[in-house]
Amino acid sequence: MSLAVEWSSYTQLPRTLRVSHGKGEQRSTYFLQIPYRLGIPVTIFSMVLHWLISQSIFLAKIDDAHMELNRISTCGYSIVGIFATLIAGVILAVFTIILGSRTLPTGIPLVGSCSLAIAAACHAPVGTSELRPLRWGPLSLKEREKHEKVGLNGFYNPL
């Protein structure tokens, strides 16, 4: 979802490319390809959810003080932990639905993470620099005349 939002944002304002090792005005990449404003809360929520699950069901060993050989190993559970885990799971599901229902700006083909589709969309006119901010849209009139039947859109450096 984050990839689609970032890809669509090139139709709104000129943006620099996000690459592993930036040069010029390029931006460096995110850890695990997720924006930090989304990745950090999701990681914390995942840690809390895993802790709640561990509090919901657990291994219990019971030793009888009167008899040496009478040990019982069983599985214990906590109703409060199970209830809290269910609430956290519902919150996670609602958050996912809300995040997935956001509308994307129109004007650029949705490509997902298909490298072939991304490569096809990235044929820029001669003189376009990947080191400067880029924008997606109709190419210059001179370029459109060359590809008039195609109605070519692409990345370009705005003035």
Side-chain angles (χ1 to χ4, degrees):
M1 291 179 263
S2 297
L3 179 65
V5 169
E6 183 175 3
W7 180 256
S8 312
S9 69
Y10 282 99
T11 61
Q12 305 301 309
L13 295 170
R15 295 179 50 101
T16 55
L17 294 177
R18 185 170 53 87
V19 295
S20 298
H21 303 287
K23 296 178 185 174
E25 296 181 44
Q26 294 174 338
R27 298 171 286 145
S28 63
T29 189
Y30 297 122
F31 178 69
L32 295 178
Q33 305 301 318
I34 301 173
Y36 295 121
R37 69 180 181 277
L38 180 63
I40 291 172
V42 166
T43 302
I44 291 170
F45 189 80
S46 176
M47 290 170 32
V48 169
L49 187 61
H50 281 82
W51 179 79
L52 285 170
I53 291 169
S54 75
Q55 300 303 305
S56 299
I57 189 164
F58 48 88
L59 180 63
K61 288 187 176 184
I62 302 170
D63 291 333
D64 190 351
H66 300 293
M67 302 173 75
E68 280 184 27
L69 299 175
N70 195 10
R71 287 186 174 180
I72 300 171
S73 293
T74 187
C75 192
Y77 64 92
S78 166
I79 298 296
V80 174
I82 292 171
F83 187 67
T85 301
L86 286 173
I87 290 173
V90 168
I91 291 171
L92 180 63
V94 168
F95 174 74
T96 304
I97 291 168
I98 290 171
L99 195 62
S101 65
R102 293 188 304 174
T103 58
L104 298 173
T106 58
I108 191 168
L110 292 177
V111 297
S113 60
C114 177
S115 58
L116 183 63
I118 292 170
C122 290
H123 291 286
V126 177
T128 301
S129 172
E130 70 276 358
L131 299 177
R132 294 182 35 227
L134 297 168
R135 185 168 183 184
W136 173 270
L139 298 178
S140 67
L141 292 174
K142 183 178 180 184
E143 190 71 23
R144 291 184 83 182
E145 290 172 4
K146 291 180 187 176
H147 304 283
E148 192 171 282
K149 293 181 182 177
V150 179
L152 189 63
N153 285 335
F155 285 104
Y156 64 93
N157 296 118
L159 299 175

